[in-house]
């Protein structure tokens, strides 16, 4: 999934509209100073009052959207522009006094709400306190202005409501970020799974191709007919590997136990390793059959590529599959694992299986065993 350069999901048209609505709906409360301005006797006072209030409303909505965009994208709101925006709102409110008179105090409700949205908590609290104290103080200083207790209450109520909106916006942004991280991890896990499957498929196929090509080279002069047969097998295996890769890229390509046992017989024979394989395959649920197929593929690949063994034995029962050889055994710690064994462990873990990797009993050779909890039919002997 392709994300924008800053790693944030673009805001949808719906949420952009909702943001404008959240800011603009409260402008209804500017009707009090607007009516006061429109009822002024002098034209210039009406013009000043109406013009400053319209400018105030536009600036308030713009400031709200600007701050909201920062919060949605997890960017800190710069303090200097934030204080400048608040100063502009206060200035527009004061500029409208000739037209609105004492009703200009209503604009302090919006100033307080903007402060809560723009500023850190402590600084916002100072602005809210000043806005709440301004109506009774100005009423005492300017006798023509009546004490507006409702403005003080509205300042406190709007500030509390805006605090809730701020927290909600922050939580929504965090939720979006978490969802993006989940999607990113899901994509990464799918890529890792595909890489493991390609490793398992190509690792086995190319190992067998290399062994058969080497055998064909040795037989070219001694037994040309046998060499031609091996070369034909190389071509077949290469085509099969290509088909497997295409299947893995297009969709999940599973492994069948019966198919992998047949391939193991061919690979071990080409490597000159005596094989002891089960003659029949037990009837297994699809997920077990697939896991056991991957086990045989990984085990035989390791035997052919690394073991130096002369004999390989594969045992299968409804609850477990085991690949063992008489070669040199694991090179490092018994639990050391390459990419293929890492993928095998992850597949087994999905079915609560246990993967055992180490030396076979007796101290020589390599053992790979995958055991699963017995199914109900297995326990009942069915």
């Amino acid at each position: 999934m392709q994300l924008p350069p800053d790693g944030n999901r673009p805001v949808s048209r719906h949420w952009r509209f909702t943001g404008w609505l959240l800011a603009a709906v409260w402008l209804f409360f500017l009707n009090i100073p607007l009516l006061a301005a429109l009822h002024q006797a002098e034209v210039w006072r009406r013009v000043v009052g109406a013009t400053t209030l319209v400018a105030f409303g536009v600036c308030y909505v713009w400031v709200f959207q600007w701050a909201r965009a920062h919060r949605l994208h997890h960017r800190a709101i710069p303090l200097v522009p934030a204080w400048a925006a608040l100063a502009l709102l206060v200035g527009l409110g004061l500029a409208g006094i000739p037209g609105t008179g004492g009703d200009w105090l209503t604009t302090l409700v919006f100033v307080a709400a903007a402060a809560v949205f723009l500023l850190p908590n402590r600084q916002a609290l100072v602005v809210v306190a000043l806005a709440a104290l301004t109506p009774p103080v100005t009423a005492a200083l300017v006798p023509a202005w009546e004490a507006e207790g409702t403005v003080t209450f509205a300042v406190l109520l709007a500030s509390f409501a805006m605090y809730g909106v701020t927290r909600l916006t922050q939580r929504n942004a965090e939720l979006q970020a978490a969802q993006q991280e989940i999607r990113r991890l899901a994509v990464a896990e799918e890529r890792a799974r595909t890489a493991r499957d390609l490793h398992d498929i190509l690792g086995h196929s190319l190992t067998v191709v290399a062994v058969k090509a080497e055998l064909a080279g040795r037989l070219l002069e001694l037994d040309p007919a046998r060499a031609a047969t091996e070369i034909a097998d190389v071509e077949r295996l290469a085509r099969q590997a290509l088909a497997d890769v295409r299947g893995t890229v297009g969709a999940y390509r599973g492994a069948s136990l019966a198919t992998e046992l047949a391939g193991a017989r061919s690979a071990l024979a080409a490597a000159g390793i005596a094989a002891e394989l089960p003659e029949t395959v037990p009837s297994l649920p699809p997920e077990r059959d697939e896991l056991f197929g991957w086990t045989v593929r990984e085990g035989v690949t390791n035997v052919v590529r690394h073991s130096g063994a002369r004999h390989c034995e594969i045992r299968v029962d409804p609850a477990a599959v085991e690949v063992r050889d008489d070669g040199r055994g694991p090179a490092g710690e018994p639990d050391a694992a390459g990419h293929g064994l890492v993928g095998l462990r992850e597949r087994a873990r999905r079915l609560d299986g246990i993967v055992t990797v180490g030396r076979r009993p007796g101290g020589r050779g390599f053992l790979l065993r995958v055991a699963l909890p017995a199914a109900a039919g297995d326990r009942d002997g069915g």
Side-chain angles (χ1 to χ4, degrees):
M1 181 182 64
Q2 199 75 13
L3 294 176
D6 61 356
N8 295 294
R9 189 179 181 183
V11 180
S12 68
R13 181 179 302 177
H14 167 74
W15 281 107
R16 284 198 298 268
F17 174 76
T18 303
W20 284 102
L21 186 62
L22 284 173
V25 68
W26 301 106
L27 297 179
F28 170 79
F29 293 101
L30 288 178
N31 70 321
I32 296 175
L34 182 60
L35 288 175
L38 295 178
H39 285 84
Q40 292 289 341
E42 300 175 70
V43 175
W44 73 271
R45 290 183 183 274
R46 293 200 296 268
V47 172
V48 169
T51 302
T52 54
L53 286 174
V54 171
F56 181 92
V58 172
C59 288
Y60 175 78
V61 173
W62 179 84
V63 167
F64 183 87
Q65 283 295 95
W66 170 75
R68 183 170 175 270
H70 277 72
R71 289 185 179 276
L72 286 176
H73 292 86
H74 302 283
R75 296 195 301 263
I77 298 176
L79 284 179
V80 173
W83 279 106
L86 289 176
L88 176 61
L89 292 176
V90 174
L92 288 171
L94 292 172
I97 290 178
T100 58
D103 289 325
W104 80 274
L105 294 170
T106 304
T107 61
L108 294 177
V109 177
F110 298 89
V111 172
V116 172
F117 203 71
L118 292 173
L119 302 177
N121 290 339
R122 292 184 179 180
Q123 298 181 28
L125 183 61
V126 172
V127 175
V128 171
L130 291 175
L133 292 173
T134 298
V137 171
T138 54
L141 296 177
V142 184
W145 294 354
E146 297 181 2
E148 291 286 349
T150 55
V151 174
T152 299
F153 177 76
V155 165
L156 298 177
L157 183 62
S159 300
F160 181 78
M162 185 56 71
Y163 181 80
V165 172
T166 302
R167 298 283 79 80
L168 178 62
T169 302
Q170 182 178 346
R171 294 297 180 268
N172 284 340
E174 291 172 355
L175 179 60
Q176 285 187 0
Q179 291 173 340
Q180 291 169 15
E181 181 65 12
I182 290 172
R183 285 192 290 270
R184 186 190 67 80
L185 292 176
V187 171
E189 174 61 24
E190 182 64 18
R191 288 174 177 170
R193 184 191 67 82
T194 302
R196 289 194 301 269
D197 288 353
L198 286 174
H199 171 272
D200 293 345
I201 292 169
L202 291 179
H204 174 81
S205 300
L206 295 181
T207 296
V208 178
V209 166
V211 170
K212 285 185 171 290
E214 182 182 357
L215 177 61
R218 293 199 304 266
L219 294 173
L220 193 58
E221 295 182 358
L222 300 176
D223 190 347
R226 173 82 183 278
T229 301
E230 297 298 334
I231 291 297
D233 280 347
V234 167
E235 180 182 1
R236 178 185 58 80
L237 288 169
R239 293 182 183 278
Q240 182 62 45
L242 180 59
D244 290 346
V245 170
R246 287 172 176 168
T248 301
V249 172
Y252 184 81
R253 189 264 184 191
S256 163
L257 177 58
T259 301
E260 297 304 329
L261 285 172
R265 189 183 302 276
S266 174
L268 293 170
I273 301 174
E276 185 178 341
L277 307 180
E279 295 296 331
T280 60
V281 177
S283 177
L284 299 172
E287 63 274 7
R288 289 195 180 208
D289 185 77
E290 183 177 332
L291 175 61
F292 286 3
W294 282 116
T295 304
V296 170
R297 173 182 283 249
E298 178 61 26
V300 171
T301 299
N302 287 335
V303 170
V304 172
R305 184 185 296 174
H306 306 298
S307 70
R310 303 181 64 182
H311 180 269
C312 175
E313 179 183 1
I314 300 177
R315 298 178 179 179
V316 180
D317 63 55
V321 60
E322 186 176 288
V323 181
R324 57 170 66 191
D325 64 56
D326 61 354
R328 63 178 64 94
E333 294 295 326
D335 289 336
H339 294 292
L341 291 177
V342 170
L344 185 61
R345 282 195 172 98
E346 292 184 1
R347 292 186 180 95
R349 193 179 301 121
R350 298 189 191 109
L351 300 179
D352 298 324
I354 298 175
V355 178
T356 302
V357 179
R359 294 188 181 277
R360 61 184 292 178
R364 179 170 175 79
F366 185 83
L367 170 68
L368 171 63
R369 175 181 173 84
V370 173
L372 297 176
D378 304 331
R379 290 192 298 267
D380 297 338

